[in-house]
Amino acid sequence: MTSTPDPSRAISFQGEPGAYSHLACRNAYPAMQPLPCATFEDTFAAVREGRARYAMIPIDNSVAGRVADVHHLMPYAGLHIIGEHFERISHHLLAVPGASLETIKTVKSHVHALGQCRNLIRELGLKIVVGADTAGSAAEIAERKDPSVAAIASELAAEAYGLVSLKAGIEDAEHNTTRFVVMARDALEPNPNQPCITTFVFRVRNVAAALYKALGGFATNGINMTRLESYMVGGEFAATQFFADVEGHPANRNLRQALEELDFFSHEVRILGVYPLHPYRMRSR
Protein backbone atom coordinates (compact mmCIF):
# COMPACT_ATOMS: atom_id res chain seq x y z
CA MET A 1 0.00 0.00 0.00
CA THR A 2 1.42 3.38 -0.98
CA SER A 3 0.95 6.59 0.99
CA THR A 4 -0.50 8.40 -2.04
CA PRO A 5 -2.53 5.88 -4.06
CA ASP A 6 -3.89 6.63 -7.51
CA PRO A 7 -7.35 8.15 -6.80
CA SER A 8 -8.97 6.11 -9.57
CA ARG A 9 -7.76 2.91 -7.88
CA ALA A 10 -8.05 3.98 -4.23
CA ILE A 11 -10.61 2.75 -1.71
CA SER A 12 -10.82 4.62 1.59
CA PHE A 13 -11.53 3.08 4.98
CA GLN A 14 -11.64 4.27 8.58
CA GLY A 15 -8.81 3.04 10.76
CA GLU A 16 -5.16 2.10 10.79
CA PRO A 17 -3.48 -0.30 8.34
CA GLY A 18 -4.43 -3.82 9.41
CA ALA A 19 -7.95 -2.86 10.52
CA TYR A 20 -10.80 -5.17 9.59
CA SER A 21 -12.03 -2.50 7.18
CA HIS A 22 -8.60 -2.68 5.51
CA LEU A 23 -9.00 -6.45 5.28
CA ALA A 24 -12.45 -6.00 3.74
CA CYS A 25 -10.98 -3.65 1.12
CA ARG A 26 -8.31 -6.18 0.23
CA ASN A 27 -10.73 -9.10 0.00
CA ALA A 28 -13.50 -7.29 -1.89
CA TYR A 29 -11.27 -5.23 -4.20
CA PRO A 30 -7.83 -6.90 -4.36
CA ALA A 31 -6.73 -4.75 -7.32
CA MET A 32 -7.44 -1.46 -5.53
CA GLN A 33 -5.20 0.49 -3.15
CA PRO A 34 -6.54 0.92 0.42
CA LEU A 35 -6.43 4.48 1.79
CA PRO A 36 -6.56 4.66 5.61
CA CYS A 37 -8.47 7.59 7.15
CA ALA A 38 -8.67 8.79 10.75
CA THR A 39 -12.48 9.17 10.95
CA PHE A 40 -15.61 8.17 9.05
CA GLU A 41 -16.02 11.81 8.02
CA ASP A 42 -12.53 11.69 6.47
CA THR A 43 -13.38 8.40 4.77
CA PHE A 44 -16.43 9.91 3.08
CA ALA A 45 -14.55 13.11 2.23
CA ALA A 46 -11.79 11.17 0.45
CA VAL A 47 -14.36 9.94 -2.09
CA ARG A 48 -16.34 13.15 -2.25
CA GLU A 49 -13.17 15.17 -2.93
CA GLY A 50 -11.83 12.74 -5.54
CA ARG A 51 -8.94 11.24 -3.54
CA ALA A 52 -10.53 7.79 -3.64
CA ARG A 53 -12.96 6.02 -5.93
CA TYR A 54 -14.84 4.08 -3.25
CA ALA A 55 -15.30 4.04 0.52
CA MET A 56 -15.61 0.80 2.50
CA ILE A 57 -17.94 1.48 5.44
CA PRO A 58 -18.80 -1.05 8.19
CA ILE A 59 -22.46 -0.80 8.99
CA ASP A 60 -23.26 -3.61 11.42
CA ASN A 61 -21.89 -6.77 12.98
CA SER A 62 -23.71 -10.03 13.67
CA VAL A 63 -22.52 -9.95 17.30
CA ALA A 64 -22.04 -6.28 18.26
CA GLY A 65 -24.91 -4.80 16.26
CA ARG A 66 -24.76 -1.52 14.36
CA VAL A 67 -21.59 0.52 14.07
CA ALA A 68 -21.88 3.75 16.04
CA ASP A 69 -22.15 7.09 14.18
CA VAL A 70 -22.40 5.61 10.67
CA HIS A 71 -26.20 5.89 10.49
CA HIS A 72 -26.02 9.57 11.40
CA LEU A 73 -23.30 10.34 8.87
CA MET A 74 -24.27 8.33 5.79
CA PRO A 75 -27.40 10.31 4.79
CA TYR A 76 -25.34 13.51 4.66
CA ALA A 77 -22.12 12.16 3.14
CA GLY A 78 -23.08 13.15 -0.40
CA LEU A 79 -22.36 9.60 -1.61
CA HIS A 80 -24.33 6.60 -2.87
CA ILE A 81 -24.22 2.96 -1.83
CA ILE A 82 -23.16 0.90 -4.84
CA GLY A 83 -22.48 -2.47 -3.23
CA GLU A 84 -22.22 -4.53 -0.05
CA HIS A 85 -19.59 -6.89 1.34
CA PHE A 86 -19.75 -9.42 4.19
CA GLU A 87 -16.49 -10.04 6.02
CA ARG A 88 -16.10 -13.00 8.37
CA ILE A 89 -14.26 -11.66 11.43
CA SER A 90 -11.49 -13.96 12.65
CA HIS A 91 -9.78 -12.49 15.70
CA HIS A 92 -6.14 -13.28 16.52
CA LEU A 93 -4.30 -12.89 19.81
CA LEU A 94 -1.22 -10.96 18.67
CA ALA A 95 2.02 -10.32 20.53
CA VAL A 96 5.65 -9.45 19.92
CA PRO A 97 8.02 -12.21 18.76
CA GLY A 98 9.19 -14.25 21.72
CA ALA A 99 5.97 -13.85 23.69
CA SER A 100 3.77 -16.84 24.52
CA LEU A 101 0.43 -17.60 26.12
CA GLU A 102 2.33 -18.01 29.39
CA THR A 103 3.92 -14.52 29.27
CA ILE A 104 0.72 -12.63 28.37
CA LYS A 105 -0.94 -10.84 31.30
CA THR A 106 -2.81 -7.99 29.58
CA VAL A 107 -4.83 -7.72 26.38
CA LYS A 108 -5.78 -4.52 24.54
CA SER A 109 -8.25 -3.96 21.71
CA HIS A 110 -11.43 -2.23 20.64
CA VAL A 111 -14.28 -2.73 23.11
CA HIS A 112 -16.27 -4.82 20.60
CA ALA A 113 -13.34 -7.14 19.86
CA LEU A 114 -12.76 -7.64 23.58
CA GLY A 115 -16.43 -8.43 24.08
CA GLN A 116 -16.36 -10.93 21.23
CA CYS A 117 -13.48 -12.90 22.82
CA ARG A 118 -14.64 -13.16 26.43
CA ASN A 119 -14.10 -16.92 26.69
CA LEU A 120 -10.38 -16.86 25.89
CA ILE A 121 -9.79 -13.74 27.99
CA ARG A 122 -11.44 -15.45 30.95
CA GLU A 123 -9.59 -18.71 30.30
CA LEU A 124 -6.20 -16.95 30.32
CA GLY A 125 -7.14 -14.61 33.17
CA LEU A 126 -6.07 -11.53 31.22
CA LYS A 127 -6.43 -7.92 32.32
CA ILE A 128 -8.46 -5.93 29.79
CA VAL A 129 -7.42 -2.53 28.40
CA VAL A 130 -9.81 -0.84 25.96
CA GLY A 131 -8.19 0.72 22.90
CA ALA A 132 -9.54 3.02 20.20
CA ASP A 133 -9.43 0.27 17.56
CA THR A 134 -7.98 -3.17 16.84
CA ALA A 135 -5.20 -2.18 14.45
CA GLY A 136 -4.16 0.79 16.56
CA SER A 137 -3.86 -1.52 19.57
CA ALA A 138 -1.68 -3.88 17.53
CA ALA A 139 0.54 -0.98 16.46
CA GLU A 140 0.96 0.10 20.08
CA ILE A 141 1.85 -3.44 21.20
CA ALA A 142 4.51 -3.64 18.49
CA GLU A 143 5.99 -0.32 19.56
CA ARG A 144 6.07 -1.23 23.26
CA LYS A 145 7.82 -4.57 22.67
CA ASP A 146 6.42 -5.88 25.96
CA PRO A 147 5.92 -9.70 25.92
CA SER A 148 3.34 -9.43 28.71
CA VAL A 149 0.87 -7.44 26.59
CA ALA A 150 -1.16 -8.73 23.64
CA ALA A 151 -3.67 -7.26 21.20
CA ILE A 152 -6.78 -8.70 19.63
CA ALA A 153 -6.73 -7.84 15.93
CA SER A 154 -6.63 -9.30 12.44
CA GLU A 155 -3.99 -11.46 10.82
CA LEU A 156 -3.40 -8.52 8.49
CA ALA A 157 -2.48 -6.39 11.53
CA ALA A 158 0.13 -9.00 12.45
CA GLU A 159 1.66 -8.63 8.99
CA ALA A 160 1.55 -4.83 9.15
CA TYR A 161 3.28 -4.50 12.52
CA GLY A 162 5.57 -7.53 12.68
CA LEU A 163 3.60 -9.36 15.38
CA VAL A 164 2.98 -13.08 15.82
CA SER A 165 -0.37 -14.78 16.29
CA LEU A 166 -0.40 -16.76 19.53
CA LYS A 167 -3.88 -18.09 18.82
CA ALA A 168 -6.23 -17.73 15.84
CA GLY A 169 -10.01 -17.79 15.64
CA ILE A 170 -10.45 -16.71 19.26
CA GLU A 171 -13.91 -15.16 18.78
CA ASP A 172 -16.71 -16.75 20.81
CA ALA A 173 -19.30 -16.79 18.00
CA GLU A 174 -18.61 -18.70 14.79
CA HIS A 175 -21.02 -16.46 12.89
CA ASN A 176 -19.10 -13.26 13.71
CA THR A 177 -19.50 -11.31 10.47
CA THR A 178 -19.45 -7.60 9.63
CA ARG A 179 -21.52 -6.15 6.84
CA PHE A 180 -19.90 -3.32 4.89
CA VAL A 181 -21.41 -1.02 2.29
CA VAL A 182 -19.35 0.37 -0.58
CA MET A 183 -20.01 4.04 -1.38
CA ALA A 184 -19.18 6.16 -4.42
CA ARG A 185 -19.91 9.64 -5.79
CA ASP A 186 -22.16 8.33 -8.54
CA ALA A 187 -25.19 6.11 -8.01
CA LEU A 188 -25.30 2.63 -9.51
CA GLU A 189 -28.06 1.58 -11.90
CA PRO A 190 -28.32 -2.21 -11.40
CA ASN A 191 -30.52 -4.40 -13.57
CA PRO A 192 -34.07 -4.28 -12.09
CA ASN A 193 -34.54 -7.92 -13.07
CA GLN A 194 -31.64 -9.04 -10.86
CA PRO A 195 -31.85 -9.40 -7.04
CA CYS A 196 -31.22 -5.98 -5.50
CA ILE A 197 -31.14 -4.22 -2.15
CA THR A 198 -32.56 -0.72 -1.72
CA THR A 199 -31.35 1.24 1.31
CA PHE A 200 -33.18 4.36 2.48
CA VAL A 201 -33.85 6.59 5.47
CA PHE A 202 -37.19 8.12 6.41
CA ARG A 203 -38.97 10.09 9.13
CA VAL A 204 -42.64 9.45 9.78
CA ARG A 205 -45.15 12.18 10.62
CA ASN A 206 -46.02 12.71 14.28
CA VAL A 207 -49.49 11.22 14.07
CA ALA A 208 -51.02 8.13 15.67
CA ALA A 209 -49.99 4.82 14.07
CA ALA A 210 -47.85 6.62 11.47
CA LEU A 211 -45.11 3.99 11.46
CA TYR A 212 -47.64 1.16 11.24
CA LYS A 213 -49.33 2.83 8.28
CA ALA A 214 -46.05 3.81 6.62
CA LEU A 215 -44.79 0.23 6.67
CA GLY A 216 -48.07 -1.33 5.67
CA GLY A 217 -47.31 -0.86 1.98
CA PHE A 218 -44.33 -3.18 2.21
CA ALA A 219 -46.47 -5.96 3.63
CA THR A 220 -49.33 -5.57 1.16
CA ASN A 221 -46.90 -5.45 -1.77
CA GLY A 222 -44.93 -8.50 -0.62
CA ILE A 223 -41.63 -6.64 -0.04
CA ASN A 224 -39.10 -8.28 2.27
CA MET A 225 -37.64 -5.73 4.71
CA THR A 226 -34.33 -7.12 5.94
CA ARG A 227 -33.42 -4.24 8.24
CA LEU A 228 -35.22 -1.49 10.17
CA GLU A 229 -33.46 0.62 12.80
CA SER A 230 -34.44 3.83 14.55
CA TYR A 231 -32.31 6.60 16.01
CA MET A 232 -32.84 10.16 17.17
CA VAL A 233 -31.86 13.14 15.04
CA GLY A 234 -31.14 16.67 16.16
CA GLY A 235 -31.35 15.77 19.83
CA GLU A 236 -35.15 15.70 19.69
CA PHE A 237 -36.91 12.80 21.39
CA ALA A 238 -39.91 13.28 19.09
CA ALA A 239 -37.87 13.26 15.88
CA THR A 240 -36.98 9.65 15.08
CA GLN A 241 -35.29 8.68 11.84
CA PHE A 242 -35.45 5.14 10.47
CA PHE A 243 -32.80 3.33 8.45
CA ALA A 244 -34.08 0.47 6.30
CA ASP A 245 -33.00 -2.16 3.78
CA VAL A 246 -35.50 -3.91 1.54
CA GLU A 247 -35.12 -6.48 -1.20
CA GLY A 248 -36.06 -5.16 -4.62
CA HIS A 249 -35.50 -2.35 -7.10
CA PRO A 250 -37.60 0.88 -7.07
CA ALA A 251 -38.23 0.37 -10.78
CA ASN A 252 -40.26 -2.73 -9.92
CA ARG A 253 -43.97 -2.07 -9.46
CA ASN A 254 -44.35 -3.59 -5.98
CA LEU A 255 -41.48 -1.68 -4.40
CA ARG A 256 -42.44 1.51 -6.17
CA GLN A 257 -45.94 1.32 -4.71
CA ALA A 258 -44.60 0.53 -1.23
CA LEU A 259 -42.28 3.55 -1.35
CA GLU A 260 -45.13 5.78 -2.52
CA GLU A 261 -47.21 4.70 0.47
CA LEU A 262 -44.25 5.25 2.78
CA ASP A 263 -43.78 8.75 1.37
CA PHE A 264 -47.43 9.62 2.07
CA PHE A 265 -46.97 9.01 5.82
CA SER A 266 -43.42 10.42 6.07
CA HIS A 267 -41.77 13.84 6.25
CA GLU A 268 -38.88 12.65 4.13
CA VAL A 269 -37.79 9.51 2.29
CA ARG A 270 -34.24 9.47 0.98
CA ILE A 271 -32.80 6.55 -0.99
CA LEU A 272 -29.12 6.04 -0.17
CA GLY A 273 -28.48 3.38 -2.77
CA VAL A 274 -29.79 0.59 -5.00
CA TYR A 275 -27.26 -2.18 -5.51
CA PRO A 276 -26.90 -5.91 -6.24
CA LEU A 277 -27.83 -8.32 -3.47
CA HIS A 278 -24.67 -10.02 -2.19
CA PRO A 279 -24.58 -13.84 -2.60
CA TYR A 280 -23.80 -14.14 1.16
CA ARG A 281 -27.45 -13.30 1.87
CA MET A 282 -28.62 -16.30 -0.09
CA ARG A 283 -26.01 -18.61 1.44
CA SER A 284 -26.94 -17.54 4.98
CA ARG A 285 -30.53 -18.62 4.37
Side-chain angles (χ1 to χ4, degrees):
M1 182 178 65
T2 62
S3 57
T4 54
D6 175 2
S8 67
R9 298 179 57 236
I11 179 167
S12 62
F13 68 93
Q14 187 277 324
E16 301 284 343
Y20 286 102
S21 293
H22 182 187
L23 187 62
C25 291
R26 192 170 76 166
N27 289 338
Y29 296 93
M32 298 191 73
Q33 299 172 322
L35 175 65
C37 300
T39 66
F40 284 120
E41 290 93 336
D42 294 337
T43 309
F44 293 129
V47 178
R48 196 169 54 245
E49 296 167 4
R51 289 180 284 114
R53 183 177 181 182
Y54 299 141
M56 180 69 74
I57 305 296
I59 192 166
D60 58 352
N61 175 268
S62 61
V63 176
R66 75 184 184 193
V67 177
D69 297 335
V70 169
H71 294 69
H72 294 279
L73 298 172
M74 282 178 56
Y76 312 103
L79 304 177
H80 304 272
I81 302 173
I82 57 98
E84 61 179 351
H85 172 71
F86 292 83
E87 185 72 31
R88 172 70 171 85
I89 303 301
S90 179
H91 289 307
H92 289 247
L93 186 66
L94 305 181
V96 295
S100 67
L101 294 179
E102 288 70 35
T103 67
I104 299 301
K105 306 300 179 187
T106 301
V107 62
K108 183 171 185 177
S109 194
H110 187 275
V111 63
H112 285 172
L114 293 167
Q116 292 166 11
C117 303
R118 288 190 182 95
N119 291 342
L120 180 73
I121 292 173
R122 188 183 307 112
E123 177 187 327
L124 298 179
L126 301 178
K127 177 184 175 182
I128 290 174
V129 177
V130 176
D133 54 52
T134 57
S137 297
E140 183 181 327
I141 299 308
E143 185 176 348
R144 289 177 61 179
K145 297 181 172 59
D146 184 347
S148 71
V149 184
I152 293 175
S154 70
E155 186 177 19
L156 184 58
E159 295 177 20
Y161 303 111
L163 299 174
V164 295
S165 175
L166 301 182
K167 197 171 180 63
I170 62 173
E171 62 278 1
D172 299 337
E174 293 183 1
H175 61 75
N176 193 349
T177 301
T178 296
R179 178 188 176 222
F180 293 81
V181 291
V182 182
M183 304 193 75
R185 280 183 293 178
D186 298 320
L188 188 69
E189 294 295 337
N191 186 341
N193 297 319
Q194 300 298 318
C196 293
I197 297 291
T198 297
T199 295
F200 56 93
V201 292
F202 65 96
R203 270 190 274 180
V204 296
R205 302 181 188 279
N206 287 324
V207 296
L211 181 60
Y212 173 80
K213 295 174 182 176
L215 297 181
F218 294 96
T220 56
N221 284 283
I223 299 299
N224 183 27
M225 181 171 285
T226 61
R227 178 193 186 95
L228 179 65
E229 293 213 37
S230 65
Y231 55 99
M232 289 189 300
V233 291
E236 299 180 15
F237 286 92
T240 300
Q241 185 153 287
F242 293 88
F243 186 101
D245 292 332
V246 296
E247 292 185 2
H249 192 296
N252 298 141
R253 180 172 175 270
N254 286 6
L255 182 52
R256 184 175 67 251
Q257 290 180 338
L259 290 171
E260 288 172 355
E261 193 164 338
L262 172 67
D263 187 61
F264 183 80
F265 292 103
S266 301
H267 283 299
E268 178 186 24
V269 178
R270 185 185 308 180
I271 293 179
L272 301 182
V274 183
Y275 47 96
L277 181 149
H278 195 280
Y280 177 88
R281 291 180 180 269
M282 305 306 295
R283 293 197 301 268
S284 64
R285 293 175 184 175

